Amino acid sequence: IPKELALACRALLTDEERRRRVDEQTRSFARIAREHTNTSRISMNRVAGHMTARLVATGCDPLIPAMIRGATAKHYPGIYYNSTTCAALLEPWLDYCNPLLAAVGAELLAVPPASAAMSIGSAIEIDPALLRAVLANLHRDILAAWSNPGCSPIQQHNDMALWTFLVLDIACAFRAVRSALDRRSHYRSRTRQLWICDKANRSADTSRVVAVAETAGMQLDAYLAHLSTLARDQAHFPKAVRDFATAVMADRQSMLFFIAGDDLDAAPIPATPKELGRRLETILPVPINFARHFLRQQLPARRHPWQLIDAHLGHDPLGREAYSRYSHTSWAQMQLTAQVVESILRELDVQVLRSRYGR
């Protein structure tokens, strides 16, 4: 709410007599409305929820009225990741309020100029140009290191794993809980379908299915092909690493892992949030769930339907998850999100990295 309006509301409601009068007026409004419409179904809760229902009915993202009415991330998870300006947030609110004010001859509201550009929402905003530069530098450094004859296959694997995580994270927006990419069977290469269960409670009820963008799918295919080669490479990797890669291909371990140590002392390390954060801190010093903030800001900017954005990020209400048994969302609709994400990856100039060792 604009600062001036917030101060006015505070002054109004801190006076006990005024607060009592406002309460009586609102209850009187509900009583008159019930008499006028000859129904008992008009309650204060329904009056309070009319703005949200009206805005959503006109195609507004429910995130907007949720932010206007001061809902928390517990009630609407998208609030935590969304970032907007005061003017953009209040525009639909004014579209709702001003016709009502005009009907009773009251003065219309406007966004105070001093507040119009004020940023509201997520404290993490990723500049696409900066992210593109970071990815370009990392890709160039990886290829430069791989061209060095002294570059070990272990380093190449770690580079491959880190790049695969970044590309898939930007495309699918993982939560920072346990392993980012789980079992191999959760991914279908032919249809580019990925089943993700990245909440603390890892059950089917907390999962989501996403359509993977083409570039991200090609990167995951390249990484799995790399693991298939690694599992058979006795010349460069010790038995512990080969066995882990074999377990990944047999669907017994999480797909993404790093290798610590050198030569015979090398051992696999799961790609936990802590391990990913340690490896990313010098490349991209932001929380490892930055992609959830990035996509939640980029997809609405491209006017992508809010229902499909919530489905992609796993923000659907419990029991109505996209592509679940009772979902109304089709696979063709979810593929529309993959197409938009693919356009974002192309704007970031994301390249598919393929393993070179052993060639």
Side-chain angles (χ1 to χ4, degrees):
I1 297 177
K3 181 179 179 181
E4 294 80 0
L5 181 57
L7 292 175
C9 289
R10 182 184 303 174
L12 176 67
L13 297 178
T14 50
D15 184 290
E16 186 63 33
E17 178 61 24
R18 285 181 174 179
R19 182 163 50 194
R20 184 185 62 78
R21 193 158 57 244
V22 168
D23 184 61
E24 289 178 355
Q25 289 173 349
T26 52
R27 292 181 185 280
S28 174
F29 168 78
R31 184 173 60 255
I32 294 172
R34 285 195 293 267
E35 294 173 355
H36 180 71
T37 57
N38 194 28
T39 178
S40 61
R41 294 180 59 81
I42 297 180
S43 64
M44 290 311 301
N45 285 337
R46 285 191 168 89
V47 172
H50 183 263
M51 178 196 68
T52 297
R54 181 64 180 170
L55 292 182
V56 172
T58 58
C60 182
D61 186 339
L63 179 75
I64 300 301
M67 294 181 73
I68 291 173
R69 70 176 187 266
T72 65
K74 180 179 180 180
H75 299 102
Y76 197 93
I79 289 178
Y80 179 72
Y81 303 103
N82 191 60
S83 179
T84 185
T85 63
C86 185
L89 180 65
L90 292 182
E91 182 179 345
W93 183 63
L94 296 178
D95 290 342
Y96 168 81
C97 291
N98 282 335
L100 300 178
L101 295 173
V104 295
E107 183 180 355
L108 302 186
L109 299 174
V111 180
S115 305
M118 184 185 301
S119 181
I120 299 173
S122 170
I124 302 175
E125 294 185 50
I126 307 295
D127 182 357
L130 176 62
L131 183 57
R132 175 185 172 123
V134 168
L135 293 173
N137 288 337
L138 177 60
H139 189 262
R140 183 177 61 251
D141 291 346
I142 289 175
L143 294 183
W146 287 10
S147 64
N148 185 344
C151 181
S152 70
I154 291 177
Q155 179 183 342
Q156 292 188 41
H157 168 80
N158 289 338
D159 291 341
M160 188 80 172
L162 186 62
W163 183 260
T164 299
F165 167 75
L166 278 173
V167 175
L168 267 294
D169 190 27
I170 294 172
C172 302
F174 297 121
R175 292 183 177 92
V177 180
R178 296 182 63 169
S179 180
L181 286 167
D182 207 9
R183 299 293 192 262
R184 181 191 177 194
S185 61
H186 296 172
Y187 170 62
R188 297 178 180 176
S189 176
R190 185 178 61 83
T191 58
R192 297 286 190 241
Q193 189 178 93
L194 180 63
W195 186 84
I196 301 175
C197 193
D198 54 0
K199 289 188 178 181
N201 177 18
R202 294 164 70 87
S203 68
D205 288 339
T206 60
S207 66
R208 57 188 161 120
V209 175
V210 300
V212 180
E214 185 63 20
T215 297
M218 292 172 63
Q219 180 58 53
L220 187 51
D221 289 343
Y223 175 74
L224 291 174
H226 156 78
L227 291 187
S228 179
T229 303
L230 185 156
R232 303 188 302 270
D233 191 347
Q234 300 183 22
H236 297 98
F237 296 98
K239 186 176 186 300
V241 174
R242 298 198 312 272
D243 287 348
F244 195 93
T246 300
V248 171
M249 302 307 292
D251 209 37
R252 298 194 305 270
Q253 289 287 358
S254 296
M255 288 185 277
L256 200 66
F257 69 95
F258 297 101
I259 301 175
D262 297 315
D263 300 330
L264 297 178
D265 296 329
I269 301 177
T272 61
K274 182 177 180 179
E275 182 64 23
L276 288 166
R278 185 181 70 81
R279 292 177 180 271
L280 284 173
E281 60 184 357
T282 58
I283 301 170
L284 191 62
V286 295
I288 64 170
N289 68 340
F290 75 93
R292 295 183 66 76
H293 297 263
F294 181 71
L295 279 187
R296 195 61 183 79
Q297 295 156 22
Q298 290 295 312
L299 291 175
R302 288 163 168 77
R303 300 189 178 280
H304 197 54
W306 61 265
Q307 298 93 332
L308 299 183
I309 296 175
D310 282 354
H312 194 73
L313 295 178
H315 288 159
D316 279 333
L318 186 64
R320 293 191 308 204
E321 296 83 357
Y323 214 54
S324 62
R325 179 177 298 175
Y326 303 108
S327 171
H328 64 274
T329 307
S330 69
W331 182 244
Q333 289 176 305
M334 298 176 71
Q335 287 177 313
L336 295 177
T337 304
Q339 294 172 13
V340 178
V341 172
E342 178 65 20
S343 69
I344 294 174
L345 294 178
R346 290 180 180 177
E347 290 175 11
L348 296 175
D349 196 25
V350 173
Q351 304 293 320
V352 177
L353 186 67
R354 303 184 188 279
S355 179
R356 294 186 176 184
Y357 85 91
R359 293 186 180 182

